[in-house]
Amino acid sequence: MNIRTQVKTHSHTATPFVATRIADNVLDLIGQTPMVRLPRYLDREDVNLVAKVEALNPGGSAKDRPARHMIERALADGRLQPGDTVVESSSGNMGIGLAQACAVHGLQFICVVDPNAQSQNVAIIRALGGQIELVDHAPDGDFLAARLDRVAKLLEEDSRRFWPNQYANLDNPESHELGTIAEIDAALGGQIDVLFVACSSTGTARGCRDYLRRMGRKTKVVAVDAMGSTLFNGTAGPRKISGMGAGRIPELAKGQEFDDLVRVSDVTCVAGCRRAVAREGLLVGGSGGGVLEAVRGMQDELAGLTVAAIIHDSGSRYLGTVFDPKWVERELGICEADVTALAGLAPADS
């Protein structure tokens, strides 16, 4: 059979394409992110591990959901008017999501960041039209407090500035209740035994838990937090991986309880990122590496179960940190060979 005949034969039997939905604007592309099985990540084959890949939102993370929801709810009820300026404190992903939403709705955006913000994220916010306010000094090293102080000053200067306040706004968890977990639940036919989700403001975890309770699901929700985080009665300490943990307890997190809690170190997050690439070809962000390693740490008790893991963003945002061996050794004090061993990929002395 020649190539021309082969191609023609295959074209007759190919599955016809389904017409692609045309979105009205880029914000309509948020949500309905894909899910993928990760059969090689764990050391055992009897755990059905499925990941929700939030990096495929148009802004590159799960934060697109609350960013859009907070802005559109505020526009709908009059708290925010066309032409106003949105001001928010962010270490990166929320800032990107808000910059994107503001661009679509004709709003100005000021993002207050500190020196720990990923330079690539700051560049993306600027590219989307956002203005950057850098807080480069923090009493007692509490940059979150310093950022929030700057937000307060910016709001005082102009009455047409609006603060979504991702740390206390109930539209944050509601966006995940209406979207993220509803999509996971539908994809798995309501059969989710355990859900693993990283926590910072706790918006994602809270929204997911509330949906599952409302639907009468028996799903166990495992909160994954960073060592050095104050969440869930934790003790504040140094943290280098962004997107997980909190230096002070956000309003949304107060009094929140989940079925289980796993704390992961920065090094564990890095190891998870390395393992996800090596075993699954999946480039995940630092919090995603932590979530996957939390699953691996509990894999023996998860035998025979269906486990969903929310991967908040892509490792492409962390090429200069988590995926840079020099940064890891300088900031976390561990060499690449030891990270590889921790990831279960090779012995430390190989």
Side-chain angles (χ1 to χ4, degrees), residues 1-14:
M1 180 183 294
N2 62 39
I3 293 176
R4 185 184 300 271
T5 305
Q6 186 177 21
V7 171
K8 185 176 180 180
T9 302
H10 285 181
S11 68
H12 284 306
T13 59

Side-chain angles (χ1 to χ4, degrees), residues 209-324:
R209 180 207 59 203
D210 290 352
Y211 171 93
L212 292 165
R213 286 182 178 175
R214 176 166 54 82
M215 296 297 290
R217 306 295 189 229
K218 296 181 180 179
T219 307
K220 179 179 179 181
V221 179
V222 180
V224 183
D225 189 25
M227 290 183 181
S229 167
T230 60
L231 296 174
F232 314 114
N233 298 312
T235 301
R239 292 176 294 113
K240 295 291 185 177
I241 303 297
S242 61
M244 183 165 51
R248 59 165 60 184
I249 301 175
E251 196 66 30
L252 283 177
K254 291 180 178 177
Q256 297 304 306
E257 295 182 354
F258 300 93
D259 298 296
D260 205 347
L261 169 67
V262 178
R263 294 193 193 276
V264 293
S265 68
D266 288 343
V267 171
T268 298
C269 293
V270 173
C273 291
R274 298 289 193 277
R275 187 175 175 91
V277 169
R279 290 291 184 93
E280 301 287 353
L282 189 62
L283 196 65
V284 306
S287 66
V291 165
L292 291 175
E293 282 298 272
V295 176
R296 189 160 74 106
M298 294 177 61
Q299 62 185 324
D300 289 342
E301 59 190 274
L302 299 173
L305 302 181
T306 293
V307 176
I310 298 176
I311 308 300
H312 277 74
D313 62 5
S314 167
S316 62
R317 298 258 168 97
Y318 306 90
L319 299 180
T321 54
V322 172
F323 287 93
D324 181 356

